Amino acid sequence: MKLNFLPSMTPGNCSMQSPTIPLFDKSVKPLILALLLFCPLSAFAANTWSYHQESDRLSNRTFSFAQSPLPPRGLYDNLRLDIICKDNTLQVAVEADSLIASQGSAFGFEYQIDKNPPVTLQMKTFKDTKRRGYTEESAKRIVDDLLTGQSIFIRINTMIRTVLSAAMPLENAAEPIKHVVTDCGLNLSDNAAGESAYSLTEFEQAFGKLPSEQQQQVLNKIKKIIMETQKALLIEK
């Protein structure tokens, strides 16, 4: 007995149709295009920091910047941080969808790394926008702090007395930020470069492993350093 898996022809259906449906049917293509056009790019972008190089339209000079991811929608305001090296000058810029201040005006900016005490400073909007501001004076300090934490919380006090805020992860931020700092020919602080300060506990552990004779030599050198430091402090006074 031979089985027929093809659909049978009926008087009202003179053409035989294939039992399979193409992967990209004509009715599916418009839906895919609509998703690509109307879904926000943040839905497809990775939640991570990134490094970029662009060319200034006026001077044709290349500048680099590290850009933060956007915060989760609905939880915070739409803020973004940029670490910029332009004309060998380091800048930290913040951009918002909302009004910050008039062009070229100062505004309050606060940031907090992890659970450390918050830092308050002044930024200034660029001359051609009310939604983007920057600092050069505090840029190095902010960068050093960014490289020592796991997350950052920022707050902007706007000219209309509203507060914009956002939280951003600092995971994977080190590489793009350090790239920008290197572009500017700057050095990072020891902690930001990944070199933690030598603690008293570490000293005691290492000191206890030394033979008694070497321990005495270390103590003599420490005593000399302390005496020289005290003498220098007395001279300064």
Side-chain angles (χ1 to χ4, degrees):
M1 181 177 179
K2 185 177 180 181
L3 297 176
N4 184 10
F5 288 98
L6 295 177
S8 59
M9 296 179 65
T10 62
N13 181 16
C14 298
S15 62
M16 186 177 296
Q17 295 180 351
S18 172
T20 60
I21 301 175
L23 181 60
F24 292 105
D25 187 74
K26 291 182 179 180
S27 62
V28 178
K29 290 181 180 179
L31 177 60
I32 296 176
L33 290 176
L35 287 172
L36 292 175
L37 288 174
F38 295 106
C39 284
L41 293 178
S42 57
F44 301 99
N47 187 34
T48 187
W49 287 70
S50 54
Y51 174 82
H52 307 268
Q53 280 190 338
E54 293 185 0
S55 180
D56 188 284
R57 295 180 180 179
L58 296 178
S59 63
N60 290 325
R61 294 180 180 177
T62 301
F63 65 95
S64 61
F65 61 98
Q67 190 169 74
S68 75
L70 289 170
R73 287 185 176 272
L75 295 179
Y76 299 102
D77 295 295
N78 213 29
L79 303 179
R80 171 170 271 166
L81 281 177
D82 289 334
I83 314 301
I84 308 168
C85 178
K86 192 170 186 178
D87 296 330
N88 292 323
T89 301
L90 188 66
Q91 293 180 346
V92 173
V94 61
E95 185 173 4
D97 282 349
S98 305
L99 174 70
I100 297 177
S102 301
Q103 295 99 320
S105 299
F107 63 92
F109 177 82
E110 300 175 61
Y111 71 92
Q112 182 180 26
I113 304 295
D114 299 335
K115 295 183 179 180
N116 296 325
V119 178
T120 302
L121 52 90
Q122 289 286 307
M123 282 192 174
K124 184 170 65 174
T125 52
F126 289 91
K127 295 181 179 179
D128 59 348
T129 179
K130 300 178 181 179
R131 304 174 187 269
R132 182 174 168 84
Y134 73 100
T135 178
E136 294 178 356
E137 294 80 4
S138 302
K140 184 62 166 54
R141 176 184 179 179
I142 297 175
V143 167
D144 287 342
D145 288 345
L146 288 173
L147 294 175
T148 61
Q150 300 297 318
S151 64
I152 181 173
F153 178 78
I154 63 176
R155 182 184 289 115
I156 296 174
N157 299 304
T158 71
M159 64 179 296
I160 57 175
R161 298 183 179 180
T162 59
V163 176
L164 306 176
S165 62
M168 305 165 188
L170 294 177
E171 184 180 359
N172 301 322
E175 184 176 347
I177 291 177
K178 287 180 179 179
H179 200 160
V180 173
V181 174
T182 301
D183 292 343
C184 270
L186 299 175
N187 295 320
L188 297 168
S189 66
D190 290 342
N191 288 343
E195 300 176 6
S196 58
Y198 192 46
S199 66
L200 180 60
T201 302
E202 290 175 313
F203 168 77
E204 291 175 343
Q205 291 175 349
F207 183 79
K209 297 177 182 179
L210 296 176
S212 58
E213 184 178 348
Q214 291 184 352
Q215 285 181 348
Q216 190 58 51
Q217 292 176 358
V218 171
L219 291 174
N220 291 337
K221 291 180 179 179
I222 292 174
K223 181 180 178 180
K224 183 179 179 180
I225 293 172
I226 292 175
M227 292 178 64
E228 291 176 351
T229 303
Q230 290 174 339
K231 184 178 178 181
L233 291 174
L234 290 173
I235 293 174
E236 290 179 359
K237 292 181 179 179

